[in-house]
Amino acid sequence: LCGNNAKPPIIEKIQRSLKSKNYDPGRTDGQLDQKTMDALNKYQKDNNLKEDKEGLINLDTIKSLGVQL
């Protein structure tokens, strides 16, 4: 998921999924900010997934979170 595909409704789904799994992405506002990336990277590390750089989210992580694109 790159900047073009990272629309606020998708990011909000990712944030909600992280929150439901006890990872704190901050506000569920659809913004891919540092707090969301920190929570995402912690989730990835804890689940042996490739850690993403800021602004990118790999499809394996999205699938693992149960988010539909």
Side-chain angles (χ1 to χ4, degrees):
L1 193 64
C2 66
N4 292 339
N5 297 329
K7 305 282 187 223
I10 299 294
I11 301 304
E12 189 172 333
K13 287 180 185 179
I14 290 168
Q15 290 168 327
R16 288 185 190 284
S17 182
L18 285 166
K19 199 170 265 193
S20 76
K21 296 175 186 327
N22 296 317
Y23 293 88
D24 182 12
R27 296 185 304 171
T28 52
D29 59 2
Q31 301 301 309
L32 190 55
D33 58 14
Q34 190 60 52
K35 183 109 172 155
T36 299
M37 285 305 298
D38 290 346
L40 187 69
N41 290 151
K42 173 109 175 78
Y43 174 80
Q44 289 169 324
K45 185 176 182 180
D46 290 351
N47 290 277
N48 297 314
L49 295 163
K50 180 181 176 232
E51 288 186 53
D52 291 308
K53 295 183 170 51
E54 191 166 330
L56 299 173
I57 306 170
N58 70 67
L59 289 177
D60 288 336
T61 298
I62 293 169
K63 288 178 187 175
S64 176
L65 286 167
V67 173
Q68 299 291 323
L69 297 180

